[in-house]
Amino acid sequence: MPLLGLGTWQARGRDARDAVRTALEVGYRLVDTATIYGNERQVGAALAESAVPREDVFVTTKLPQGNAGRERATLEESLEALGLDYVDLWLIHWPPGGRARPDVWERLLELQADGLAREVGVSNYSLGQIDELEQATRRLPAVNQVEWSPALFDREVLDGHRRRGVQLEGYSPLRQTNLRDPRLVRVAEAHGVTPAQAVLRWHVEHRIVAIPKSTNAERIAENAAIFDLRLTASEVEELDALAERH
């Protein structure tokens, strides 16, 4: 699973299609969508138009919590819209009704076994809810996608996922952090990058998948230009500490 991807929340119509096409052109290999985003068809069109082979692109979509009970139909509808035979990752978007719902998780595992999803996981689940899924099925989610950024950094949450072998993936990685914070600006200037790039690199240093969303071609390219950058251990700790002020 790539450590950097394109989020497509709120991207619609031609903007969504162009954003995905641009992202693939500049090197992204992870694209994140969801049934409730209403843009799976546009994402699929961009994938079809791209010269990047299907097997090189990691595609994620999600089951709305209100679709619990019609998992197979939902995934088949997503695949039809995306123009794909399978997705690389299918997530339960939110705990249905606020509960873990091991029965829904069981059906995701069945669809994975049928080859419609390479991996399955969850989004916005607590560690306790993840444990409930494992207790009922003896299978842990491959991924838990949650809102994450330096301002939301929580060492116990990060370490809890690592102990369980669950990959943490962060959506809205730039939203909660003050990009003008002097500590962040200082780290960014030391490397000649923007504060946003420093934040995204911070995710990579922690081995957390980041999926910033944008439909701006320049911003999409800028967000991807972080792999020649290395933060020191002390710089990572300094950005970790942004959560204390938040």
Side-chain angles (χ1 to χ4, degrees), residues 32-48:
D32 180 273
T33 183
T35 295
I36 64 171
Y37 296 171
N39 61 18
E40 289 175 317
R41 201 164 297 280
Q42 289 73 34
V43 170
L47 293 171

Side-chain angles (χ1 to χ4, degrees), residues 23-239:
L24 294 172
E25 288 173 357
V26 300
Y28 287 74
R29 292 297 179 265
L30 187 162
V31 179
D32 180 273
T33 183
T35 295
I36 64 171
Y37 296 171
N39 61 18
E40 289 175 317
R41 201 164 297 280
Q42 289 73 34
V43 170
L47 293 171
E49 293 166 0
S50 172
V52 180
R54 163 66 186 99
E55 59 270 21
D56 291 346
V57 184
F58 193 100
V59 180
T60 300
T61 192
K62 310 178 193 77
L63 170 78
Q65 61 170 325
N67 284 30
R70 57 184 310 269
E71 293 81 6
R72 182 174 294 274
T74 300
L75 183 51
E76 288 176 347
E77 289 163 4
S78 289
L79 292 173
E80 189 277 328
L82 290 163
L84 302 177
D85 297 324
Y86 66 92
V87 291
D88 297 276
L89 178 63
W90 196 39
L91 305 176
I92 303 173
H93 205 152
W94 289 88
R99 295 179 292 129
R101 292 294 299 272
D103 57 317
V104 175
W105 178 236
E106 285 269 20
R107 290 191 281 272
L108 264 70
L109 294 172
E110 291 170 5
L111 291 166
Q112 180 189 19
D114 290 344
L116 300 186
R118 292 284 175 87
E119 294 288 351
V120 288
V122 296
S123 182
N124 300 299
Y125 269 58
S126 69
L127 288 171
Q129 289 171 325
I130 287 173
D131 288 342
E132 188 176 339
L133 298 182
E134 184 189 25
Q135 289 162 9
T137 67
R138 297 189 178 182
R139 287 283 303 278
L140 282 162
V143 173
N144 187 20
Q145 186 185 113
V146 301
E147 187 171 9
W148 195 264
S149 69
L152 300 176
F153 179 72
D154 187 319
R155 173 62 68 180
E156 290 185 6
V157 170
L158 177 58
D159 288 347
H161 282 81
R162 285 179 173 161
R163 286 195 302 272
R164 291 164 176 80
V166 178
Q167 174 64 51
L168 196 61
E169 180 178 20
Y171 65 80
S172 299
L174 303 173
R175 186 167 68 171
Q176 296 287 353
T177 297
N178 177 11
L179 298 180
R180 296 184 180 88
D181 187 289
R183 292 169 295 177
L184 174 56
V185 171
R186 184 167 57 250
V187 169
E189 288 180 346
H191 295 276
V193 299
T194 68
Q197 287 174 312
V199 167
L200 294 174
R201 184 65 209 186
W202 171 86
H203 283 75
V204 172
E205 300 290 356
H206 275 301
R207 311 302 292 175
I208 298 167
V209 178
I211 48 170
K213 66 182 184 70
S214 181
T215 57
N216 179 284
E218 291 183 2
R219 185 61 55 78
I220 290 169
E222 178 184 284
N223 287 343
I226 61 170
F227 289 98
D228 290 331
L229 166 65
R230 295 289 185 275
L231 301 183
T232 66
S234 63
E235 288 171 334
V236 171
E237 290 176 1
E238 191 167 7
L239 298 189

